Amino acid sequence: MAELLNADVVKQIEDAFAPMKEAVHIMYFGQKENCDYCADTQKLLEEVAVISEKLSLEIYDLDKDADLAKKFNVDKAPGIVITAKDGKTISDYGVRYAGIPSGHEFTSLIQDILLVAGRDSGLMQETRDFLKELTEPVLLQVFATPTCPHCPGAVTLAHQFAMESSMVQAEMISAMEFQALSQKHNVSGVPQTTINDGAANVVGAVPESNMVTELKRITGK
């Protein structure tokens, strides 16, 4: 298979990764059958992982490694979990991808690696205070497409929320790859952030405060 990233892109990523101080570990879950983008996703992650010595990558099979997939709440392939690595300790911040992070979503992938490397969500203090009060799990699923320029903002925001709170898990979902799920949640435009399996839908790349308002409405906080 030919290289997916050309020299110019690799150089840009090298520059972006240069300030990384902490290690990031990427867990990839593929599947042998019925997964059109698994091979390309694995290849893409392999090319990204070698760009920085702060990055490591492990390849798993959704079926063969079912127990591990369940532990990390991965139920789709290709599935990606971006974790923090400190020595031999892996810390899961709830940052997930379902589908290949191509097109504009490749930007999200790079931003999320830097986010996890920084070990800080970068959210406003008011948002951090609200998230500390959560007592019930929150699932944010951001439906996106590779051609959507506004999707990375929505994906990154959801992943920032997950970074900040162990109660929040956030997953970028490729709307085209997982069409049954898109239809279930009536996705007609992207980005769409579906909260708690349909308790609410936020359409568009909204400001941080708007997402907090919606979560407050749902959680009663």
Side-chain angles (χ1 to χ4, degrees), residues 2-220:
E3 298 296 299
L4 299 178
L5 303 177
N6 64 40
D8 288 342
V9 172
V10 170
K11 178 66 171 64
Q12 289 173 21
I13 300 170
E14 278 179 351
D15 292 343
F17 285 170
M20 282 173 58
K21 290 185 172 62
E22 304 294 340
V24 174
H25 182 63
I26 303 169
M27 303 174 69
Y28 167 73
F29 291 85
Q31 206 166 30
K32 291 280 191 291
E33 297 177 6
N34 303 317
C35 185
D36 294 341
Y37 293 95
C38 277
D40 283 343
T41 303
Q42 180 175 331
K43 174 79 170 135
L44 183 66
L45 293 175
E46 286 170 344
E47 290 184 27
V48 169
V50 297
I51 293 174
S52 171
E53 60 182 17
K54 294 291 184 183
L55 281 177
S56 55
L57 171 68
E58 284 284 346
I59 308 296
Y60 300 102
D61 184 278
L62 191 63
D63 299 314
K64 288 182 182 175
D65 302 299
D67 289 346
L68 188 68
K70 186 177 180 181
K71 178 184 175 183
F72 284 91
N73 297 321
V74 177
D75 58 3
K76 306 173 197 70
I80 304 166
V81 185
I82 301 176
T83 68
K85 189 174 185 182
D86 299 286
K88 291 184 178 180
T89 304
I90 301 295
S91 300
D92 179 16
Y93 286 121
V95 177
R96 307 273 186 278
Y97 282 77
I100 185 168
S102 62
H104 285 287
E105 283 318 305
F106 184 67
T107 303
S108 300
L109 177 72
I110 301 305
Q111 288 177 338
D112 281 333
I113 289 170
L114 293 171
L115 189 69
V116 173
R119 307 291 196 263
D120 185 85
S121 69
L123 293 169
M124 295 185 296
Q125 190 58 49
E126 306 94 285
T127 306
R128 296 175 195 254
D129 293 342
F130 162 70
L131 291 172
K132 280 190 181 75
E133 297 173 8
L134 290 177
T135 53
E136 297 292 330
V138 171
L139 175 63
L140 303 175
Q141 293 177 301
V142 185
F143 290 87
T145 61
T147 56
C148 164
H150 301 294
C151 287
V155 170
T156 300
L157 181 62
H159 285 151
Q160 285 177 283
F161 276 56
M163 277 280 302
E164 186 61 36
S165 173
S166 59
M167 284 292 176
V168 180
Q169 181 175 308
E171 180 180 43
M172 186 285 287
I173 297 178
S174 172
M176 303 303 289
E177 288 177 67
F178 301 98
Q179 292 186 18
L181 196 58
S182 298
Q183 289 167 3
K184 174 187 174 183
H185 293 299
N186 300 310
V187 177
S188 57
V190 290
Q192 175 177 307
T193 303
T194 295
I195 305 171
N196 288 354
D197 200 33
N201 292 305
V202 178
V203 179
V206 301
E208 186 179 320
S209 56
N210 290 42
M211 189 63 71
V212 170
T213 299
E214 198 61 26
L215 287 176
K216 282 181 177 177
R217 186 182 68 79
I218 293 167
T219 60

